[in-house]
Amino acid sequence: MAKSKKTTVILGEKEYFKGIPKIKFEGRKSKNPFSFKWYNEDQKVGGKTMKDHFRFAIAYWHTFCGDGGDPFGAPTKKFPWLTSSDPIQSAKDKMDAAFEFITKIGAPYYCFHDVDMVDEGATLAASASRLQTLTDYALQKQKASGVKLLWGTANLFSNPRYMNGAATNPDFEVVAYAGGQVKNAIDATIKLGGENYVFWGGREGYISLLNTNMKREIDNLAQFLHIAKDYARSQGFKGTFFIEPKPCEPSKHQYDYDSATVIAFLREYDLLNDFKLNLEFNHATLAGHTMAHEMQVAANAGLLGSLDANRGDYQNGWDTDQFPNDLYELTECMLVFLQAGGLKGGGINFDAKTRRNSTDLDDIFHAHIGGMDVFARALLIANDILKESDYKDLMKNRYASFTRGNGAKFTKGKLSLEDLSKIATKKGEPEMRSGKQEMFENIINQYI
Ligand code: XLS
Ligand code: NI
Ligand code: NI
């Protein structure tokens, strides 16, 4: 059957994922591996469709560029879109494959780094011109498919010039180059109607503190973010900037260590009006936290912006970026998510890669179907817990002593330390009150 013109614009001339139709919701009884069992985009959960809750995005770098190579071995994935030796043709083929995949999986968004979309050129100007060509192409694809850009970013960590950092480099010339690259990436993001812009500082940190002036580097980082933000605003960008915390890897220590560190940094350098957080599961665990903890810290500050979905491995300590599948962990996260009122401007981006030995093209589908399904299922469970169980009351009761009498006065700042001393002297030893942890835990299991 001849393709319509619109279909050709979305898919390109060639179909890469042959035989795989658009993935539909078929429910948990379906045995079709190419169907959603839980993610039903139009289903309302707490007054909002699943599609609007999650705003799922596909990560260009892992899904269309990640060839399975690792420090111990050559690439294992022979992506048919990465065959041309002409960088522009290869980037266009990759984009054809990307929009075919994103449309078939039914994700409303994608995310990219400048260099995922097209390889860098020999100069900054050459890179900018390549990005122009590819963003022109992307605009047509976005228009034909309805797929939107959740966020753009610049890769300031792969090129050897950034070996000592980008915005935190001890050499101003490198900082300037990074600035040029960020300007191009911001221009591309604005051109594509990107809703947000991300800074992840893989090399914004140090390898040895001995040769590092930490104070100067962090001051420079703040200065860099200020001028990047000012530039984007001057070009009409209305979206949010996200900082993505990670404690280490590739640097020994990264300045954007975790939620709490980034929030303190944003406050110290007066960036809170424009920046929020993009939190990643595997980064949380690398920092020694649960993802629910990271989300809660951000939510407390009103800065829960966006999520990079993946998972680590409990038996080893690096950023394995596996697809999420832990229902219990995600349910805890969705409790935080729902009670925070969702994400501020962002969505859920699958910053995850299929394993090195998952070499079939359809593995990319299974990975994303599984990821979207586990989020949907966790959302349903968390919503049930909040609506049907005693969870909220139990939590409320735990703090009830602050809603009356002296407790209420304390929270309003009406008691001094001498007052506390007097109250304690009069009352004597406080009663022991159980934290009921096991009972709380059982509620999750009950609603799964
Ligand atoms: C790496 C980060 C990276 C950011 C975007 O660990 O997760 O992929 O999300 O630069
Ligand atoms: Ni990561
Ligand atoms: Ni990430």
Side-chain angles (χ1 to χ4, degrees):
M1 199 175 75
K3 285 185 207 159
S4 73
K5 188 157 170 261
K6 188 173 157 188
T7 314
T8 311
V9 176
I10 302 172
L11 301 180
E13 295 299 331
K14 198 167 155 191
E15 190 173 6
Y16 288 100
F17 303 95
K18 274 207 196 75
I20 302 181
K22 180 154 173 28
I23 307 301
K24 293 199 191 85
F25 171 73
E26 292 183 7
R28 75 179 302 183
K29 294 235 166 78
S30 168
K31 287 189 177 167
N32 173 10
F34 294 99
S35 72
F36 293 117
K37 313 297 178 296
W38 299 94
Y39 178 65
N40 181 3
E41 62 175 20
D42 298 323
Q43 185 179 339
K44 285 204 169 166
V45 182
K48 216 177 177 184
T49 63
M50 285 192 179
K51 188 177 178 185
D52 290 343
H53 271 293
F54 296 132
R55 294 152 54 85
F56 282 127
I58 306 304
Y60 221 87
W61 52 103
H62 285 310
T63 304
F64 311 112
C65 313
D67 56 16
D70 74 11
F72 302 93
T76 53
K77 302 182 194 203
K78 313 251 177 305
F79 288 149
W81 52 87
L82 295 184
T83 49
S84 170
S85 56
D86 169 12
I88 299 293
Q89 189 54 49
S90 165
K92 286 188 172 170
D93 291 345
K94 180 162 61 178
M95 192 168 281
D96 289 344
F99 276 80
E100 183 189 332
F101 175 78
I102 299 166
T103 319
K104 284 183 169 176
I105 199 78
Y109 290 97
Y110 71 107
C111 301
F112 76 101
H113 298 84
D114 46 2
V115 305
D116 318 325
M117 198 168 260
V118 56
D119 292 347
E120 269 185 279
T123 62
L124 200 51
S127 299
S129 131
R130 285 183 176 193
L131 211 48
Q132 281 284 355
T133 308
L134 266 295
T135 46
D136 285 345
Y137 199 57
L139 266 185
Q140 295 174 30
K141 297 255 172 197
Q142 287 186 197
K143 216 173 143 209
S145 63
V147 171
K148 294 185 280 184
L149 176 62
L150 186 65
W151 50 260
T153 188
N155 176 328
L156 303 177
F157 43 90
S158 294
N159 192 295
R161 81 175 73 88
Y162 298 123
M163 65 181 182
N164 288 308
T168 61
N169 199 291
D171 182 349
F172 170 70
E173 279 182 22
V174 181
V175 176
Y177 205 102
Q181 207 186 317
V182 166
K183 179 183 170 297
N184 293 341
I186 287 176
D187 288 343
T189 302
I190 294 175
K191 176 171 164 185
L192 296 175
E195 296 184 17
N196 307 279
Y197 186 87
V198 163
F199 289 92
W200 170 66
R203 303 210 189 258
E204 312 296 21
Y206 59 78
I207 308 171
S208 168
L209 188 55
L210 208 53
N211 65 2
T212 302
N213 182 338
M214 192 202 280
K215 169 91 171 96
R216 182 185 279 277
E217 291 197 0
I218 296 178
D219 284 351
N220 283 351
L221 175 61
Q223 189 57 37
F224 188 93
L225 294 177
H226 267 285
I227 60 178
K229 177 261 295 175
D230 289 345
Y231 171 73
R233 294 293 183 231
S234 77
Q235 301 302 300
F237 180 66
K238 299 264 186 313
T240 306
F241 300 90
F242 296 137
I243 303 230
E244 183 177 324
K246 187 175 181 181
C248 56
E249 199 219 21
S251 299
K252 168 194 159 54
H253 176 94
Q254 279 161 221
Y255 297 136
D256 302 332
Y257 198 93
D258 60 1
S259 284
T261 312
V262 173
I263 292 168
F265 166 83
L266 293 175
R267 188 165 287 134
E268 181 173 352
Y269 290 97
D270 195 21
L271 288 160
L272 277 175
N273 284 338
D274 299 272
F275 285 77
K276 291 187 170 53
L277 271 59
N278 178 38
L279 299 174
E280 181 164 320
F281 286 68
N282 206 160
H283 299 182
T285 47
L286 283 179
H289 303 306
T290 61
M291 180 63 167
H293 167 93
E294 286 293 83
M295 290 172 66
Q296 188 64 61
V297 171
N300 293 348
L303 298 175
L304 183 60
S306 205
L307 304 182
D308 269 9
N310 57 25
R311 75 178 206 276
D313 183 299
Y314 291 115
Q315 277 73 50
N316 64 25
W318 67 87
D319 199 11
T320 58
D321 286 348
Q322 296 175 78
F323 274 82
N325 65 4
D326 186 331
L327 188 55
Y328 196 100
E329 175 186 270
L330 272 167
T331 302
E332 290 188 301
C333 293
M334 287 298 109
L335 282 171
V336 179
F337 175 97
L338 283 172
Q339 293 184 98
L343 303 171
K344 297 215 170 346
I348 294 178
N349 167 46
F350 286 105
D351 195 351
K353 56 186 175 217
T354 53
R355 298 300 83 193
R356 175 173 159 79
N357 56 345
S358 298
T359 47
D360 290 343
L361 286 187
D362 67 18
D363 291 326
I364 304 175
F365 279 88
H366 300 309
H368 286 85
I369 289 171
M372 290 158 87
D373 266 346
V374 73
F375 266 94
R377 195 170 178 191
L379 181 79
L380 291 166
I381 296 163
N383 188 57
D384 284 350
I385 291 173
L386 294 174
K387 288 249 156 74
E388 292 168 25
S389 78
D390 291 336
Y391 175 79
K392 276 164 108 178
D393 286 337
L394 289 167
M395 182 74 111
K396 212 165 132 197
N397 288 341
R398 206 164 174 232
Y399 297 89
S401 63
F402 290 98
T403 59
R404 53 183 183 242
N406 284 328
K409 279 192 200 156
F410 169 80
T411 58
K412 288 187 188 119
K414 293 200 171 123
L415 295 182
S416 68
L417 200 62
E418 290 102 315
D419 292 332
L420 297 193
S421 175
K422 269 183 222 152
I423 293 164
T425 308
K426 198 170 147 208
K427 264 279 179 196
E429 190 59 31
E431 258 175 64
M432 300 276 271
R433 284 184 59 229
S434 169
K436 305 285 278 183
Q437 179 174 328
E438 295 77 7
M439 197 174 90
F440 274 88
E441 287 168 349
N442 290 351
I443 296 176
I444 295 200
N445 200 33
Q446 182 184 348
Y447 283 85
I448 277 183

